[in-house]
Every structure is written in structure tokens, then in C-alpha cells.
């Protein structure tokens, strides 16, 4: 059976990923594609338990290495329980975050050595990678104020200082520069319909599927 495509969305806090993922998943379904929407950390029963440890509570409760280990534990579960079976069944998988978030947040953000993350990545993910990664880029002050207006418990990262979030943003841009074949940076500070049109155009160019 044909293997499905794996699309990931990345970006800092309040970059508008949820809205754009919803629009894309709807358009892909309308184009007749069998699509599964998922997220990290999380996306499988075990990984969702680990998610609580990461996104709730005191910003200082873990250091960068512990966060990376927790994220890669969750990722292992997510890959084996959710992502791989869906791709093997020919579905497309759209994930709200994947491994680039660990490089951006734990690596560039917390200063964990990138080589350490690469070693964990090799162990858990090997050479599997997304077919397309859309990085929604937004100035940190705009993103954080959008995120603050959401009233949820999952605010551990939002409470980290602004310099941390600036490093995360630069990290994503650096990742995109190093892997231009896979990563597309989208200016996500503007109008949602305009961003949606840009994403649809990228799906046509990169994956040869016409969505509107
Ligand atoms: P979300 O708010 O976009 O659902 O993501 C949850 C938080 O987890 C977000 O602040 C980014 C963070 N995160 C990491 O720090 N490292 C990772 O590897 C992943 C997947 C997420």
C-alpha cells in the first residue's frame, strides 16, 4: 500500500499553528485524502501522560536534558503507536510539532548541546523525517500575547522569559536554513486566510496536491 505523507507544523508560542492545522486538515479531507491529525508532545495514550509533565507546572522543574529525554520518550510512543501505523496504512499525518521543537526549545532555547539531541534523535527516530515542515514565524511579543489570551493550564513554556523565546525563534529559523528542502518558513504575523493560502500553495509545490 502507498505510504502516506508526514507534514509537521512548528513555531513558537502563539504562532497560530492550531488554526492553520485545522484549515489544512479540512482541505486535505475535501481533496479526498485520508488524514490523521496529531500533536507532540502527545498523540498517543502514553505520550499524552508525558505531555502533562512537560507543559504544566513550574518553569524550572526540569532542565534541558530532562525535557529532551521526556520529549523523546513521548516521541517514541507517538511514532510507534500513532504515526508509523497511519503512514503504513497510506494515511497522511499532520502533526502539531515534532523533533524540530526539541532542537529549538531544548537546544537553542535552554542551551542543551545539539550533539546530545542528535544522539537521542538517532536512537529514537533514526533517519525518518517529515515530508514537509511548515514553520510559522511570528515576532515573540505578538506570539506571547496571543498565547496569554488563551486561558489554559498548559502555560509552563509561556512563563519562561522573553530571551528564551527569542532564542527558540532564532533556532527555528536556523533549522530552516540548514534544511531548506524540507522546511518552509511562513510569516504568520498577518491575516489567517492569507497564511492559509500560502500553506496551500506550498502543499501544491512540495507535495503535488491541489488544496483550496
Ligand atoms: P503546544 O503548546 O504547541 O501544544 O506545545 C507544547 C509545548 O511544548 C510548547 O511550549 C513547546 C514545547 N515543546 C518542547 O519544548 N519540546 C518539544 O520537543 C516539543 C514537541 C514541544
Amino acid at each position: 500500500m502507498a505510504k502516506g505523507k508526514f507534514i509537521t507544523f512548528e513555531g513558537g508560542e502563539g504562532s497560530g499553528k492550531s488554526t492553520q492545522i485545522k484549515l489544512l486538515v479540512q482541505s486535505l479531507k475535501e481533496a479526498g485524502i485520508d488524514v490523521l491529525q496529531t500533536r507532540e508532545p502527545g498523540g498517543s495514550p502514553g505520550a499524552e501522560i508525558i505531555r502533562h509533565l512537560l507543559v504544566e507546572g513550574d518553569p524550572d522543574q526540569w532542565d534541558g536534558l530532562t525535557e529532551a529525554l521526556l520529549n523523546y520518550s513521548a516521541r517514541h510512543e507517538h511514532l510507534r503507536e500513532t504515526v508509523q501505523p497511519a503512514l503504513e496504512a497510506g494515511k497522511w499525518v499532520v502533526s502539531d510539532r515534532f523533533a524540530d521543537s526539541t532542537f529549538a526549545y531544548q537546544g537553542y532555547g535552554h542551551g542543551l548541546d545539539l550533539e546530545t539531541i542528535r544522539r537521542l534523535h538517532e536512537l529514537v527516530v533514526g533517519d525518518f523525517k517529515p515530508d514537509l515542515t511548515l514553520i510559522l514565524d511570528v515576532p515573540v511579543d505578538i506570539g506571547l500575547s496571543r498565547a496569554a489570551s488563551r486561558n489554559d493550564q498548559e502555560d509552563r513554556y509561556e512563563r519562561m522569559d522573553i530571551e528564551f523565546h527569542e532564542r527558540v525563534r532564532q533556532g527555528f529559523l536556523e533549522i530552516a536554513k540548514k534544511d531548506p528542502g524540507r522546511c518552509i518558513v511562513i510569516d504568520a504575523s498577518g491575516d489567517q486566510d492569507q497564511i492559509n493560502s500560502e500553506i496551500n500553495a506550498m502543499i501544491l509545490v512540495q507535495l503535488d496536491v491541489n488544496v483550496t
Side-chain angles (χ1 to χ4, degrees):
M1 196 180 285
K3 201 173 160 294
K5 301 281 184 201
F6 184 37
I7 302 172
T8 58
F9 277 74
E10 299 280 5
E13 307 306 302
S15 58
K17 289 182 285 96
S18 312
T19 308
Q20 292 304 327
I21 288 170
K22 207 162 105 191
L23 292 170
L24 177 63
V25 166
Q26 196 183 318
S27 304
L28 289 172
K29 283 183 179 164
E30 282 164 13
I33 291 170
D34 193 358
V35 46
L36 177 87
Q37 184 183 333
T38 186
R39 68 173 180 181
E40 285 205 353
S44 72
E48 288 290 329
I49 295 171
I50 298 171
R51 179 184 176 92
H52 288 291
L53 299 174
L54 282 158
V55 299
E56 294 171 14
D58 183 350
D60 297 327
Q61 72 194 354
W62 315 116
D63 74 354
L65 178 59
T66 305
E67 286 185 13
L69 290 165
L70 287 169
N71 272 296
Y72 271 98
S73 302
R75 188 159 297 134
H76 171 65
E77 286 298 310
H78 184 219
L79 284 171
R80 87 185 173 86
E81 291 268 346
T82 306
V83 178
Q84 300 289 11
L87 291 174
E88 275 156 29
K91 291 184 190 174
W92 284 36
V93 176
V94 177
S95 184
D96 186 340
R97 300 192 182 280
F98 187 58
D100 296 316
S101 280
T102 312
F103 284 91
Y105 279 79
Q106 283 65 54
Y108 291 90
H110 283 317
L112 177 63
D113 178 29
L114 297 182
E115 188 48 36
T116 302
I117 304 177
R118 276 189 207 106
R119 283 159 64 196
L120 286 173
H121 189 88
E122 173 60 30
L123 180 70
V124 172
V125 181
D127 55 14
F128 171 74
K129 59 179 183 183
D131 294 284
L132 176 65
T133 295
L134 297 156
I135 298 178
L136 304 195
D137 180 57
V138 77
V140 168
D141 53 343
I142 296 179
L144 285 177
S145 65
R146 279 185 192 164
S149 65
R150 290 192 303 242
N151 192 10
D152 64 32
Q153 259 192 308
E154 297 193 336
D155 65 350
R156 181 168 166 262
Y157 285 92
E158 282 163 43
R159 287 185 281 124
M160 292 182 188
D161 59 39
I162 191 144
E163 290 77 16
F164 170 84
H165 292 285
E166 291 288 0
R167 291 193 297 276
V168 169
R169 183 184 185 200
Q170 293 312 318
F172 277 125
L173 296 177
E174 198 68 33
I175 289 166
K177 220 188 287 171
K178 284 192 217 159
D179 200 349
R182 172 177 67 87
C183 300
I184 308 284
V185 178
I186 309 261
D187 176 356
S189 51
D191 176 63
Q192 295 293 359
D193 289 340
Q194 171 65 29
I195 300 165
N196 174 237
S197 306
E198 271 184 54
I199 290 173
N200 290 348
M202 287 306 153
I203 298 291
L204 179 60
V205 172
Q206 303 274 329
L207 302 177
D208 206 22
V209 168
N210 203 350
V211 284
T212 48

